[in-house]
Amino acid sequence: MASAPSKLYADDVSLVVVLLDTNLFFWSSSSVSFSQFLSQVLAFLNAILTLNQLNQVVVIATGYNSCDYIFDSALDLNRGIENGRMPAMSSSLLQKLEKFLIKDEQLSKEEPEGRIKSSLFSGSLSMSLCYMQRVFRSGALHPHPRILCLQGSPDGPEQYVAIMNAIFSAQRSKVPIDSCYIGAQNSAFLQQASYITGGVHHKPQNLDGLFQYLMTIFATDLHSRSFIHLPKSVGVDFRASCFCHKNTIDMGYICSVCLSIFCKHQKKCSTCGSVFGQAQSEVASASDKKRKTPET
């Protein structure tokens, strides 16, 4: 998905698309409640809009079974504070978020047991890229775009292909993907997304201070990042998921035609239909025999 030719605003004007993890299975077992997490995120969004009047914020809720837009500052004309209460953007976001959570919970009851309780990250990531392409083509000027993923649920191996396609589309469109993982274990998908697109990946140690992490690291515009020392990814997990069983693997077999990955040797590629010959297996077998045969 190539980026449309367009012109950018000033260096400090940003379009931030936030992917908000609302997975009910994750938040039911998290040490921090969803309401506490949301209050810190709302303060962060307000801060982004306050930094520059041309800044734009879009929030996409990422549920267990669905994803949807729940806020777009370009459509909300009342972003000021009303009577000293919560900003209008927060009340609008909360109303749409509540409807989304009810819908996603109903869809989750229909899912079979045994599936990994991951969020639909591939769907929300694709929606964010489609939104940005629409912005690129809508006018002569647009802000500097970036994506911020706030995720806590585990990776879904079955989404590997869709997520990687979205990551490479973001890379080609020059859209950095920042990621803030709030779960117990780190996310290989988010690490790869930030590394490939030139974004920032960070896993906060203390979620009670999440707002400070968000403001210190992820509120920085793209121009300022060139002279600010931000956390860098160390030891990125580049493991892939096999196309046959959707398992995360360290080593596997790759189709030379379509680059599909399999955890076991296949006679035929399930993706492109190419028939695998026995030459590779025979060479490997002969090589093993040669190693085992003592020299005379």
Side-chain angles (χ1 to χ4, degrees):
M1 182 170 57
S3 184
S6 56
K7 298 181 180 180
L8 297 171
Y9 277 121
D11 292 333
D12 59 344
V13 182
S14 302
L15 164 60
V16 185
V17 179
V18 180
L19 309 186
L20 190 66
D21 193 351
T22 62
N23 191 325
L24 55 93
F25 296 104
F26 166 73
W27 289 111
S28 61
S29 58
S30 176
S31 59
V32 178
S33 65
F34 181 69
S35 59
Q36 294 175 333
F37 164 77
L38 187 60
S39 63
Q40 299 186 70
V41 173
L42 290 177
F44 168 72
L45 298 180
N46 278 314
I48 292 294
L49 296 175
T50 306
L51 288 174
N52 193 308
Q53 63 178 354
L54 295 178
N55 281 353
Q56 184 178 348
V57 170
V58 178
V59 181
I60 300 177
T62 309
Y64 174 70
N65 237 327
S66 59
C67 49
D68 198 5
Y69 299 98
I70 59 175
F71 179 74
D72 186 350
S73 61
L75 304 178
D76 192 349
L77 301 180
N78 300 316
R79 298 190 300 187
I81 299 178
E82 299 178 347
N83 300 326
R85 299 180 180 178
M86 183 184 300
M89 65 89 66
S90 299
S91 59
S92 173
L93 187 150
L94 292 174
Q95 291 176 2
K96 295 181 181 179
L97 179 60
E98 183 178 3
K99 295 180 181 179
F100 174 81
L101 291 176
I102 295 175
K103 177 183 176 181
D104 189 61
E105 183 178 5
Q106 293 175 349
L107 294 174
S108 301
K109 295 179 180 178
E110 302 175 0
E111 281 295 314
E113 295 292 335
R115 175 185 165 184
I116 298 177
K117 307 301 183 182
S118 59
S119 298
L120 194 59
F121 176 53
S122 60
S124 60
L125 190 58
S126 300
M127 290 178 64
S128 64
L129 292 173
C130 290
Y131 181 91
M132 289 182 176
Q133 289 296 319
R134 187 164 67 248
V135 171
F136 292 164
R137 291 172 169 82
S138 62
L141 294 175
H142 67 81
H144 294 259
R146 68 179 189 268
I147 300 173
L148 172 58
C149 305
L150 300 176
Q151 184 176 335
S153 53
D155 294 334
E158 71 281 355
Q159 303 180 54
Y160 175 76
V161 178
I163 290 176
M164 293 306 299
N165 287 336
I167 291 174
F168 291 130
S169 296
Q171 181 191 36
R172 186 175 182 182
S173 300
K174 298 181 180 180
V175 177
I177 300 178
D178 298 333
S179 54
C180 179
Y181 190 72
I182 56 179
Q185 298 180 349
N186 217 328
S187 168
F189 290 167
L190 292 184
Q191 290 181 43
Q192 294 181 40
S194 298
Y195 181 84
I196 293 173
T197 60
V200 179
H201 175 79
H202 187 68
K203 185 181 184 301
Q205 300 298 324
N206 185 7
L207 295 183
D208 292 333
L210 179 61
F211 175 72
Q212 182 176 355
Y213 287 105
L214 294 177
M215 289 301 300
T216 306
I217 301 174
F218 301 105
T220 311
D221 60 78
L222 298 182
H223 173 69
S224 301
R225 294 184 181 187
S226 59
F227 49 85
I228 293 180
H229 292 284
L230 296 176
K232 296 183 179 180
S233 299
V234 178
V236 179
D237 188 353
F238 287 107
R239 289 183 300 170
S241 297
C242 66
F243 287 33
C244 46
H245 301 93
K246 311 301 181 183
N247 296 325
T248 303
I249 58 176
D250 296 311
M251 298 183 64
Y253 297 85
I254 301 179
C255 174
S256 59
V257 178
C258 66
L259 302 182
S260 296
I261 304 173
F262 304 97
C263 59
K264 297 181 180 180
H265 184 270
Q266 307 287 330
K267 295 182 178 180
K268 183 178 181 181
C269 178
S270 58
T271 304
C272 65
S274 299
V275 178
F276 300 144
Q278 297 296 326
Q280 183 176 1
S281 299
E282 292 175 356
V283 170
S285 178
S287 178
D288 292 340
K289 290 180 179 179
K290 186 175 182 180
R291 290 196 207 97
K292 295 178 182 178
T293 303
E295 297 184 359
T296 56

